[in-house]
Amino acid sequence: MNFSIRTLSKVLVLLTCAMPAVAQASISTTQPTDSLAADSVKELDEVVVMARRELIKSDGAKLTYDVEHDPSAGTNTVMEMLRKVPMVSVDGEDNIKVKGQSNFKIYVNGKPDPMLSGDPKAVLKAMPASSIKRIEVITDPGAKYEAEGTGGILNIITTTKQSLEGYSGNLRGGFNSSSYSGSAYLRTKVKNVTVAGRLNGYNGAVLRSHNRNDSERENLTDDTNHFYRVKGCTMNKFTYWQGGLDLSWEPDTLNLFTISANYQKQTSKSHTAQGISMSSVDEVLQWSYVRDYYTDYRRSGVSANASYQHTFPNSRKHTLTLTYQFDYGLTPVDDDERTGDYFNFPGDREPFRRHSTRHYNGTHTLQVDYVLPLFGEKHTFETGAKAVIRPNRETEWMSSSTDGSTFADDSFIRLTQNNDVYAAYVSYNARFGKFSSRAGLRYEYTRLGVDYHRLVNTGDYRDFEQHLSDWVPNASLTYNITDGSNLRASYSMRIWRPGVSQLNPFVNDFTYGELSYGNPGLNSEKYHKVEMKYSNYGGKLGGEFSVGYSQSNNSIESYNFMLDGLLHDTYANVGHYRSVNFGMYGEYEIITDMSFSAWVGAYYEHYEAKSLDNTKAHGWQTNVNLNFHYSMPWKLRLDAWGGFWTPWIDLQSKGGETGYYYGLNLSRTFLPGDKLRVGIAANNFLQGWKTGSYTTVGPGFRDVATYGYHPWSIGVSVSYSFGSLRSDVKRTRSSVSNDDVSSGSSGNKGGGK
């Protein structure tokens, strides 16, 4: 190739400008050694440009992990990819936390996925990473996003904006020691219309996994009925499948229409065999019986979304977006109990009992968003409004039988939960040299209530309705030290609304000696959070460090107490919560094809409930995630990961020991363009059986629960990509995100499970 030095210099400058920190370039040239005049002509043997794409970007408020360009994504699931994302920790039991907190929201393409509100761990293990573009961790959502989610938002993006015509797709299949899964994804673009279809399924019943679950509860107020012991073994199986269709139409460069539809279904079945006994304080057996407990959980749902985005001619950032979304879901749950082998059993109950729940969720969401750039796009004004109409219905009843065939209702309750949210927001972003700032205010009006339609053999519950009015401010200031590093300070307020399971006062006495029920008088939690963060990405060594503080004076806590020999389990706005957290992530490119990364999170938490006998709990928790990647010769790639976590705490409970996990994945690509990828993975392969425990202490009792399970898995996966399309279904800039109801779990503001 004949180049003048001046021409070559221009080329090199262009290449350097085109590949900043996100795609660094290393340029190697071979040329004669004699001196050259500026305008002389020499022949170069070879010009080699090697670019390394950075997988992680961060602006302080949002961190993005580029799953699409991670070679290991071809054979992994989304759950496995989450182990690589900074600020996200996944322990050996697949419990997910964002910055050490369990109270966060999971979105798919900027909106909630109804299935992820049921059993997110199982769904994410079924979702193929090859269908994911990127994962966003939004720790400072701002006024534009819902005020719900104290730990922030985990946003899984499956689509991006591109423009070339053609088609492409991906097929994936996997099999391991406990499950098998498969997926298919196809997209095509003709002129200005893009269509994408997807189908994936998961079956977790290859080998029926079994877990041990034992507990010992001391009634500190009764020496006769003192030790309540349960020894049990549980068998589980799970299936899931999902299908969807996305379509976008761009009639011109200023208008975009999108339509999406989705259907999902999951089932979970379990069988628990237990031996239950009561002994005195001096270990004299008082009574005992055996119990078989069957749970049949099913969930199905459909969702549809239509959006229109208009881009104004003066700027691509000047947009108006209108969105409507409809979600409908049905969740039937049946718990069946069979008891026998009674010894001095004091209870009066039939040997066959059933607890049934039917939850119907229908949601209408209307949203408008407007974005106006100002002063040469250095400033941005955003505003919008949203209405979420959500009349959720639930039916719950207890029934019994003497022969297991004909059941008679013992108690019955039918209710409607009104959880309607009307919101409006304004936000202003400004850049002044190396400084950028954001201030926003969101107003949310909530109509929260329960209407009882039918009550049989229950308490005298009355309809109630609450009207909540919340002003949710946020502000941040960022100093851009360089193009790849910044220092950020932020303040935000977040809220957490109670769910129908926490509000429902229906008394569940399915387990002898235990009562569980909701509290219809709950209010929304309010959290205040401040944080300082330093980020530096783009070089061979990159990462971030953050320190934050958060507090709530009315957190919803799950609490237990003994009364008249019965254990009660309910909820109340009684918590005073304080937390100081430190987070540090670092990644190091050892050589061009080898890298190492680590995430360390440390959290000090303090719980207090003065109205519950001044109950207090406090302590440190730590999560550590480690990842190693090596692209070896012969198209081989090695991924290794591991980590550990220290005992968790909440108001009344504490985990018993430190846990750890580890895994390896070896993959190789085949065929031109690396379209075929085969991987072999092994997790916790040196652990045949793992045990754990947690302790709960409350007024009049102390409970120690132990559990055991098989943590290991070994499997093979295959992924095949075809076609040449590099475009995907476009998305409007604003999207619906209304997953703003508490999951119904206990407090667990930090590391609790």
Side-chain angles (χ1 to χ4, degrees), residues 284-297:
V284 176
L285 180 64
Q286 301 299 304
W287 54 262
S288 66
Y289 70 98
V290 297
R291 177 194 196 200
D292 284 296
Y293 188 87
Y294 299 86
T295 297
D296 185 359
Y297 173 94

Side-chain angles (χ1 to χ4, degrees), residues 336-506:
D336 286 282
E337 178 192 61
R338 303 174 186 176
T339 57
D341 292 347
Y342 298 103
F343 172 75
N344 290 338
F345 184 63
D348 181 17
R349 56 196 296 156
E350 303 292 352
F352 298 91
R353 303 188 75 215
R354 177 174 295 166
H355 173 221
S356 300
T357 303
R358 302 291 183 267
H359 182 70
Y360 305 87
N361 173 55
T363 303
H364 300 271
T365 304
L366 298 101
Q367 181 172 323
V368 57
D369 297 281
Y370 177 69
V371 180
L372 175 65
L374 301 169
F375 305 106
E377 300 188 354
K378 291 184 177 181
H379 295 207
T380 304
F381 172 77
E382 297 180 80
T383 188
K386 182 178 183 179
V388 183
I389 303 171
R390 188 188 291 112
N392 296 329
R393 295 179 292 124
E394 183 167 295
T395 301
E396 188 169 2
W397 67 96
M398 303 283 292
S399 55
S400 60
S401 171
T402 58
D403 56 8
S405 59
T406 303
F407 284 81
D409 288 346
D410 298 324
S411 58
F412 183 94
I413 187 170
R414 179 177 291 160
L415 61 85
T416 298
Q417 180 202 21
N418 300 305
N419 194 348
D420 303 335
V421 180
Y422 303 90
Y425 72 91
V426 292
S427 178
Y428 196 85
N429 298 267
R431 287 188 291 119
F432 305 94
K434 290 191 173 185
F435 287 93
S436 59
S437 62
R438 183 186 70 190
L441 181 65
R442 186 180 184 90
Y443 173 74
E444 292 194 348
Y445 170 79
T446 306
R447 174 177 171 258
L448 185 68
V450 174
D451 298 327
Y452 300 100
H453 306 301
R454 184 184 176 193
L455 299 171
V456 178
N457 295 330
T458 64
D460 184 19
Y461 307 128
R462 297 184 178 182
D463 296 351
F464 76 93
E465 186 170 284
Q466 294 182 357
H467 297 265
L468 307 178
S469 181
D470 294 314
W471 293 93
V472 184
N474 72 87
S476 65
L477 179 65
T478 303
Y479 176 66
N480 298 307
I481 304 171
T482 65
D483 290 339
S485 63
N486 61 68
L487 182 64
R488 179 184 179 86
S490 64
Y491 162 78
S492 63
M493 175 183 167
R494 307 294 291 168
I495 64 177
W496 189 261
R497 298 185 183 91
V500 65
S501 63
Q502 294 172 304
L503 294 166
N504 189 352
F506 181 84

Side-chain angles (χ1 to χ4, degrees), residues 14-50:
L14 290 173
L15 287 172
T16 303
C17 294
M19 295 179 291
V22 176
Q24 295 182 341
S26 174
I27 302 175
S28 173
T29 64
T30 303
Q31 63 182 22
T33 57
D34 54 329
S35 60
L36 300 174
D39 57 351
S40 64
V41 178
K42 293 292 181 181
E43 184 164 309
L44 303 179
D45 292 336
E46 183 181 17
V47 176
V48 179
V49 178
M50 299 182 63

Side-chain angles (χ1 to χ4, degrees), residues 555-597:
S555 62
I556 298 174
E557 301 293 343
S558 170
Y559 71 97
N560 302 288
F561 61 93
M562 293 291 297
L563 180 64
D564 297 329
L566 300 176
L567 180 69
H568 293 247
D569 183 0
T570 188
Y571 304 89
N573 287 100
V574 295
H576 288 254
Y577 173 75
R578 305 289 186 269
S579 174
V580 178
N581 62 82
F582 303 89
M584 183 172 64
Y585 173 78
E587 58 175 6
Y588 177 62
E589 185 190 19
I590 303 171
I591 59 175
T592 302
D593 296 321
M594 183 185 297
S595 63
F596 173 80
S597 64

